Amino acid sequence: MRYFKNLFFLILSYISNLLFNFLILKILTNFLLPTLLGIYFSFIGAFLIISQIFLLGIPYVFTRYIPFWEEKGEKEKIFSLFYLFFILYLFIFFLLLILFIIFPFKKREIFILSLLASFSFSFITVFSSLFNSLRKMEYSFLINFSYFLSLTLFLFLFRKELSVEKVFLTHIISSLISIFISFLLFFSCKGFILTPLNFKIIKEIKNYWKESFFLHFLSPIFDYSDRVLLAFFKSFIDVSVFVSARKIVTPLRQVLQYPQEAMAPEISAKVKNFDEIKIYFEIL
């Protein structure tokens, strides 16, 4: 029953995100000049690549180890792993932000806003990965729904005076609202504890983490590099047309991943290593 409940919330999240993305795209294409829309897509694409790469494979590590530790009752490891990765990602974010502030360059304001928008959204990804790994997909649905609802409302309210900078600001504010809700849900988790960082768990996860990092390194490049490369060879208007069309098609291809996403933590909870996965499926 838990699998179907989680699958329901994943599909519900997919449907709501699809509707919100359609509304967001409608607002942006109607009230932002094509050239400015292309600039926005190019910048956000570039920084989503950076922010997703610096997730360092965290979502995959969470999915692999947190359900297993939860099944064994090792909640100290779960929260220690989360705190460890969260602090590491926070450190990387502030380091990049300081570098952007210190060194002068053209369009620095847009660069900084792009950085803040992409990294704040990636913090939502960290929380969403945690909740999915704890098999609480309803929490992931709530934080994603709050983000897209806030973003859609803010864009609609400021639609007649939109600029690239204001679009990024709406992203940042919406992300902060969602992150606040994420913390509330996190503190309400059953078995929540404040535990000191346990660096010994790195030894336990390092082999899988290494492979996860390389996989997560490639994924954002495949997902977002096209709009960045297009900006070098075509006009920003061409970028806006391309990404607008891509945003319509891409979600339709993603619907098949949700049964797998709901099943992954269930499998991780039952198997100690990947050699047992085949046996587990034979039992099923």
Side-chain angles (χ1 to χ4, degrees), residues 62-115:
F62 280 0
T63 302
R64 174 63 193 97
Y65 287 97
I66 287 178
F68 183 68
W69 290 337
E70 184 186 22
E71 201 77 10
K72 292 176 65 180
E74 296 179 326
K75 61 182 180 181
E76 294 84 3
K77 285 186 176 181
I78 294 173
F79 288 101
S80 184
L81 179 68
F82 175 76
Y83 299 146
L84 187 66
F85 274 131
F86 192 86
I87 291 171
L88 176 61
Y89 196 61
L90 203 61
F91 171 78
I92 292 170
F93 164 67
F94 280 116
L95 180 62
L96 289 174
L97 182 60
I98 291 169
L99 290 175
F100 273 64
I101 293 173
I102 290 175
F103 295 103
F105 49 86
K106 293 181 179 179
K107 296 184 178 180
R108 184 169 64 173
E109 183 180 346
I110 295 181
F111 271 93
I112 292 174
L113 287 173
S114 304
L115 177 73

Side-chain angles (χ1 to χ4, degrees), residues 2 11 64 71 89-90 96 108 143 184 215 241 277:
R2 180 172 58 190
I11 294 175
R64 174 63 193 97
E71 201 77 10
Y89 196 61
L90 203 61
L96 289 174
R108 184 169 64 173
I143 61 176
L184 293 179
L215 177 60
V241 173
I277 291 180

Side-chain angles (χ1 to χ4, degrees), residues 25-56:
L25 190 60
K26 184 73 174 174
I27 295 169
L28 291 176
T29 52
N30 281 353
F31 295 96
L32 202 62
L33 292 173
T35 303
L36 296 179
L37 186 60
I39 292 172
Y40 160 72
F41 282 143
S42 300
F43 272 89
I44 198 66
F47 280 94
L48 279 172
I49 292 174
I50 295 171
S51 63
Q52 292 292 306
I53 286 175
F54 280 114
L55 278 173
L56 306 174

Side-chain angles (χ1 to χ4, degrees), residues 41 223-228 230 235-250:
F41 282 143
D223 289 338
Y224 303 112
S225 61
D226 48 9
R227 65 190 71 178
V228 180
L230 191 62
S235 68
F236 285 119
I237 295 178
D238 292 326
V239 175
S240 67
V241 173
F242 169 76
V243 178
S244 298
R246 193 175 185 274
K247 279 183 171 290
I248 296 172
V249 175
T250 301

